[in-house]
Amino acid sequence: MSETLSTIFLAAAGVFVLFAVVLLYRVFRGPTTQDRIVAINVVGTNTVIVIALVSVALGEYGYLDVALVYALLNFVMSIAVSKFTVEWGGVI
């Protein structure tokens, strides 16, 4: 892979990291529990994207497996939190 393309992938990963940092505001200051849950899910999704972009940029394709496992854990966490929120009386 060319160095220019690697730089583009790393820059895109940096943009996603910046976006995740901005989303942390919504995680801590979200007006409702649902806003916080969605923000945490988006931060997790951004983490998967960053891992995948860095993996491709550095040519370490083994990290794509890590990104896939993290995506599955993020999905399971979303389902579990939604289930507990509904059981506690909050509707998502």
Side-chain angles (χ1 to χ4, degrees), residues 40-41 43-49 51 64-76:
I40 289 171
N41 195 11
V43 168
T45 303
N46 280 345
T47 303
V48 171
I49 292 170
I51 292 170
L64 290 175
D65 295 333
V66 174
L68 182 62
V69 169
Y70 192 82
L72 290 171
L73 288 173
N74 190 32
F75 174 72
V76 169

Side-chain angles (χ1 to χ4, degrees), residues 45-89:
T45 303
N46 280 345
T47 303
V48 171
I49 292 170
V50 168
I51 292 170
L53 286 172
V54 170
S55 170
V56 172
L58 299 179
E60 297 288 334
Y61 298 108
Y63 290 124
L64 290 175
D65 295 333
V66 174
L68 182 62
V69 169
Y70 192 82
L72 290 171
L73 288 173
N74 190 32
F75 174 72
V76 169
M77 185 271 311
S78 296
I79 298 299
V81 169
S82 297
K83 181 182 183 297
F84 289 126
T85 303
V86 169
E87 285 180 1
W88 288 339

